[in-house]
Amino acid sequence: MMMCYGLFVFSLKTIPYQTAEENKDWRFPANSRVNQRSALQFIGRDNETITLFGVLYPELTGGRLSLAVLERMADLGYSWPLIEGTGIPLGFFVMTNLKKTKTEFFKDGAPRKIEFTISLTKVDPPDWLPFADIIGMI
């Protein structure tokens, strides 16, 4: 298991991503001042995103069905827990983007190669979750 998003498991047989990019931002609004640099005020973390890049070869690895499961999860509009394969919980995320590029087709039109990009954005844990304040610290 490489990573788990809700009940979907990223693995060599489903969707093996080759690159995982994390992006964390902090908010510092600026207040203009006369004859001085703007004053910055720290007001907390901004959105945190994880982007997964990879290539699928449906003859060897996952394919359109695995991507369809992720699309359906995104259609539901829920946040799902994201857990690394090492067991470290990363928090709750929503899928905000899925990009697929299909190339090298079989004669029936099925792609031999699918390049994908999946964008996940971190959100606060659901209110109904017990101990949400502890999980929210992650």
Side-chain angles (χ1 to χ4, degrees):
M1 176 177 86
M2 299 170 73
M3 187 180 291
C4 183
Y5 178 58
L7 298 176
F8 185 84
V9 177
F10 288 91
S11 69
L12 296 178
K13 292 184 179 184
T14 59
I15 300 181
Y17 55 88
Q18 283 76 39
T19 305
E21 179 181 280
E22 292 184 39
N23 184 23
K24 297 180 182 183
D25 293 315
W26 290 264
R27 293 178 289 172
F28 286 89
N31 295 314
S32 298
R33 299 186 297 182
V34 177
N35 293 330
Q36 293 182 359
R37 290 187 183 97
S38 295
L40 299 179
Q41 181 181 5
F42 176 68
I43 60 171
R45 280 191 168 196
D46 204 357
N47 288 336
E48 182 177 327
T49 60
I50 294 178
T51 306
L52 306 174
F53 304 93
V55 179
L56 300 177
Y57 295 95
E59 294 174 300
L60 305 172
T61 62
R64 294 185 292 177
L65 181 61
S66 296
L67 290 171
V69 170
L70 281 176
E71 283 183 51
R72 180 63 182 133
M73 289 173 65
D75 287 341
L76 294 173
Y78 299 137
S79 61
W80 302 94
L82 186 65
I83 303 169
E84 287 184 342
T86 59
I88 298 172
L90 301 175
F92 283 81
F93 285 77
V94 294
M95 188 163 64
T96 56
N97 185 276
L98 171 62
K99 179 181 176 184
K100 299 182 281 187
T101 304
K102 301 172 187 176
T103 56
E104 302 176 21
F105 297 93
F106 290 105
K107 61 183 173 184
D108 67 351
R112 291 179 194 250
K113 180 180 176 183
I114 304 170
E115 296 178 66
F116 66 89
T117 303
I118 299 169
S119 298
L120 304 168
T121 301
K122 189 171 187 175
V123 295
D124 291 331
D127 292 335
W128 55 263
L129 185 69
F131 310 110
D133 54 338
I134 295 172
I135 295 171
M137 292 171 44
I138 300 171

